[in-house]
Amino acid sequence: MAAEVLQISLDKVTLSPADRFSLLMSSGRRARVAHTLCGSAVIAAAEDARRQLLGLLAPRFHVAADELDTEDGVVFVKEDPERRLPWRAIGRIAL
């Protein structure tokens, strides 16, 4: 769910052991409820992270946040996809 919202490959998303073990202990209806609740929280957190990322980088690109998009760990300007920055580089730039 997080990978889909953040538009990154699934191999870049990991679960903490506590999350895995708590869900493994559930079965049947409890597992479905846990999946729904946890899934909703994961989606909300990923959407918030994406919103913050785009808001942080918008001034760097001199555009509004809604003019940016992400794909495979890269932020880019929708109208000019060549203007891009890998997520990994964010910590190394002066914003």
Side-chain angles (χ1 to χ4, degrees), residues 2 5-6 38-52:
V5 170
L6 296 172
C38 291
S40 296
V42 166
I43 291 169
E47 287 173 342
D48 184 51
R50 185 176 192 279
R51 197 171 23 259
Q52 288 184 49

Side-chain angles (χ1 to χ4, degrees), residues 11-82:
D11 65 327
K12 293 182 177 156
V13 177
T14 59
L15 295 175
S16 68
D19 292 337
R20 263 185 288 194
F21 293 132
S22 64
L23 289 177
L24 288 175
M25 300 303 281
S26 299
S27 63
R29 185 176 183 290
R30 264 182 79 193
R32 286 191 298 277
V33 170
H35 181 269
T36 300
L37 293 175
C38 291
S40 296
V42 166
I43 291 169
E47 287 173 342
D48 184 51
R50 185 176 192 279
R51 197 171 23 259
Q52 288 184 49
L53 174 69
L54 298 181
L56 181 69
L57 291 176
R60 167 116 165 68
F61 287 105
H62 305 289
V63 298
D66 64 352
E67 295 177 60
L68 296 175
D69 204 354
T70 63
E71 184 177 22
D72 199 27
V74 174
V75 176
F76 61 92
V77 178
K78 291 179 190 176
E79 294 293 319
D80 185 5
E82 295 303 313

